[in-house]
Amino acid sequence: RAKRPFHPTRLHAALCTRPRPGALAQLLRLKGIAWLATRHWQQAHAALAGTQFGLSPGPPWWAALPREEWPEGLEQDIQSLWHKDHGDRQSELVCIGQELQHAAATSALDACLLTEEEMSEGEQAWAALADPFAEAWEREAAEADGQGTGHDHEHAHMH
């Protein structure tokens, strides 16, 4: 679990490179929610199966929505997750691998997070980061909104 967002370029280099570097080479499956620095308002669904990694648009973070739109009791339910500056934004990934060294894999994923210096630059600077996931993300979001390219099936965009 991480309370800082992923830098999109570093995350892409770590999980979309074949073969994956270091401890991440042993990953067989990864699944969870991710906070991507360039998508501050919206969760990312992260999934890796074998050699294919993908991020797809998820629901908005509660912190990005007006409190009037929150369901009753939510504030109390997510209180333990809440960060004073970033709300409920976080990354929580489950990693499964063959002979996976969990500490080393965690360290490799932590290296993909924004640094303290990058965190201090703020959301506007994060939004300007290069994002190799952006094109597929926008395409998938448009398809989900019914503005897609006209094909009649659903799929995650993998890298």
Side-chain angles (χ1 to χ4, degrees):
R1 183 178 287 179
K3 292 288 192 177
R4 286 184 285 153
F6 281 110
H7 188 294
T9 303
R10 289 196 290 266
L11 184 64
H12 190 272
L15 294 176
C16 298
T17 302
R18 292 184 192 107
R20 284 187 296 279
L24 298 176
Q26 303 306 314
L27 272 179
L28 297 175
R29 188 101 168 94
L30 175 146
K31 189 170 185 169
I33 60 166
W35 175 15
L36 198 62
T38 52
R39 307 285 165 184
H40 191 64
W41 64 94
Q42 188 175 20
Q43 296 177 30
H45 290 163
L48 178 139
T51 61
Q52 300 297 307
F53 175 72
L55 283 180
S56 57
W61 295 106
W62 290 114
L65 296 175
R67 296 227 175 178
E68 307 83 65
E69 294 182 22
W70 290 16
E72 189 173 329
L74 177 69
E75 187 170 359
Q76 184 175 349
D77 290 347
I78 64 174
Q79 190 173 31
S80 65
L81 301 174
W82 202 259
H83 182 276
K84 67 179 181 70
D85 295 325
H86 306 295
D88 61 322
R89 295 174 181 94
Q90 64 177 320
S91 293
E92 189 167 351
L93 303 174
V94 174
C95 299
I96 299 169
Q98 187 173 0
E99 299 177 25
L100 182 66
Q101 296 176 357
H102 285 277
T106 298
S107 181
L109 289 170
D110 285 350
C112 298
L113 299 171
L114 292 188
T115 64
E116 290 300 324
E117 181 180 338
E118 289 167 332
M119 285 295 292
S120 70
E121 294 172 0
E123 296 170 31
Q124 285 187 325
W126 308 346
L129 293 171
D131 185 351
F133 301 106
E135 185 178 331
W137 182 289
E138 294 301 330
R139 188 172 47 247
E140 190 166 333
E143 289 170 5
D145 289 341
Q147 304 168 6
T149 58
H151 60 279
D152 61 356
H153 62 279
E154 294 182 15
H155 52 88
H157 293 274
M158 306 301 258
H159 293 267

